[in-house]
Amino acid sequence: MDLVNHLNDRLLFAIPKKGRLYEKAVSILKGSDIHFHRSQRLDIALSTNMPIALIFLPAADIPMFVGEGKCDLGITGVDQVRESQVDVLLPLDLQFGSCKLQVQVPAQGEFKTPEQLIGKTIVSSFVHLTQRYFAELEGVPIEKMTTKVRFVGGSVEASCALGIADAIVDLVESGETMRAAGLKDIATVLETSAHLIESKNPKGDVELLQTIKSRIEGVMTAQRYVSCNYNVPESCLPDVLKITPGRRAPTISQIDDEGWVAVSAMVERKHKGDVMDQLKKKGATDIMVFEISNCRV
Ligand SMILES: Nc1ncnc2c1ncn2[C@@H]1O[C@H](COP(=O)(O)OP(=O)(O)OP(=O)(O)O)[C@@H](O)[C@H]1O
Ligand SMILES: O=P(O)(O)OC[C@H]1O[C@H](OP(=O)(O)OP(=O)(O)O)[C@H](O)[C@@H]1O
């Protein structure tokens, strides 16, 4: 199939081709009912049910493609967007790929603060963010800074042990990689998570773009909330509605039992245990929690 000619009338959506963000990005596409089949080794997949082409790219390259309007939408980390210095919209925090870009030094070494690293050598895959951070620390423009920043594409954590860096700037989530390399963090340059990113000059159909955004927003909401349903004496309503105010408002229905009503409300998944305990104490019965498989908000 001549894939390139099939791209003309499609909205182009850039997806990380591998690494930390890949699985979750693909599961968001699935949750959004964007069907596709990706042939082995091909980095372009045409959606089989929507006029969308998925372009699988390295997470670091996605901001550039979206920033230049070559792709209309993308999924990547805020760290990659800031490092690329491109101007894109960030309409949705996808709430995965959360970590921090941190200044790390040998745990047993002499450096305790980032100021002590002024004039030293720092190794990172994020050279622009590192330069900007140390230039600000020195209070001078990047061209005048004395701190040296060197690029390494991967295994940055080995740089201090190998004698090519006094400190590194790298991503930290659990801290395991950092500790295993004998390093500790002394400052945070940036907090990041995966976001939906959007071109400021989209070439694709704007209505379709809105539909995709709304579907992804629905997937995020479905992941964040559960539906909580219970029966309660009408006299207890003021108390229980304080516990389950819902996203907008709870649904209250009459039931075939004099003086009783049924309540249905969206509850944050992380609070569901507490909410059920509190409802029981305030007189609710038959309390049930259901998964929301999808929704539009
Ligand atoms: N440990 C982590 N925890 C959470 N998110 C992370 C972590 N490491 C990286 N990320 C996020 O995932 C993005 C891609 O990182 P990843 O290491 O998967 O890159 P990659 O595309 O596989 O490239 P590389 O080949 O350079 O490793 C990062 O920019 C960051 O937003
Ligand atoms: O704090 P932690 O939970 O240990 O995570 C941090 C590590 O995760 C990332 O690398 P990744 O494992 O994705 O591999 P990479 O070095 O090939 O990018 C990052 O570059 C760190 O090395």
Side-chain angles (χ1 to χ4, degrees), residues 193-294:
S193 61
H195 275 61
L196 182 68
I197 68 169
E198 181 184 350
S199 166
K200 287 197 164 171
N201 303 298
K203 293 201 176 68
D205 176 355
V206 177
E207 207 177 311
L208 176 61
L209 212 126
Q210 287 307 331
T211 303
I212 299 169
K213 282 199 287 185
S214 150
R215 285 191 184 194
I216 295 178
E217 205 177 347
V219 174
M220 302 304 301
T221 308
Q223 283 172 1
R224 186 167 160 204
Y225 290 93
V226 289
S227 170
C228 181
N229 299 263
Y230 54 89
N231 295 326
V232 70
E234 253 170 311
S235 58
C236 301
L237 267 181
D239 280 343
V240 293
L241 294 190
K242 278 189 209 131
I243 304 166
T244 57
R247 265 191 92 243
R248 186 183 302 276
T251 306
I252 302 165
S253 327
Q254 293 300 324
I255 55 171
D256 196 11
D257 195 346
E258 182 78 33
W260 283 71
V261 288
V263 180
S264 169
M266 283 166 88
V267 166
E268 271 201 80
R269 180 184 300 278
K270 62 182 176 196
H271 298 314
K272 69 177 190 229
D274 279 348
V275 165
M276 290 170 89
D277 294 341
Q278 287 180 46
L279 287 173
K280 180 103 187 111
K281 277 187 202 147
K282 296 289 180 188
T285 61
D286 314 309
I287 307 162
M288 289 176 278
V289 161
F290 298 102
E291 290 293 328
I292 301 169
S293 72
N294 213 332

Side-chain angles (χ1 to χ4, degrees), residues 32-58:
S32 305
D33 280 328
I34 300 172
H35 302 166
F36 66 96
H37 172 70
R38 185 181 176 192
S39 308
Q40 254 193 343
R41 304 190 60 78
L42 263 189
D43 286 336
I44 297 177
L46 304 180
S47 168
T48 50
N49 66 334
M50 295 179 86
I52 298 172
L54 302 166
I55 318 290
F56 292 89
L57 296 167

Side-chain angles (χ1 to χ4, degrees), residues 19-20 99 126 153-157 170-178:
R20 296 271 183 165
C99 51
F126 295 86
S155 302
V156 177
E157 64 278 2
D170 199 11
L171 296 170
V172 178
E173 185 202 14
S174 64
E176 270 173 46
T177 308
M178 176 175 74

Side-chain angles (χ1 to χ4, degrees), residues 76-111:
T76 193
V78 168
D79 52 331
Q80 301 293 359
V81 175
R82 302 293 175 235
E83 175 64 14
S84 305
Q85 303 176 302
V86 296
D87 195 13
V88 293
L89 302 169
L90 295 156
L92 265 182
D93 183 348
L94 301 175
Q95 294 175 14
F96 65 89
S98 302
C99 51
K100 292 178 181 174
L101 186 63
Q102 295 194 304
V103 182
Q104 302 165 37
V105 293
Q108 310 302 333
E110 61 193 290
F111 304 117

Side-chain angles (χ1 to χ4, degrees), residues 15-36:
I15 305 295
K17 66 183 284 181
K18 63 178 179 70
R20 296 271 183 165
L21 306 182
Y22 174 76
E23 298 280 347
K24 291 217 167 105
V26 167
S27 97
I28 283 187
L29 295 176
K30 285 204 177 118
S32 305
D33 280 328
I34 300 172
H35 302 166
F36 66 96

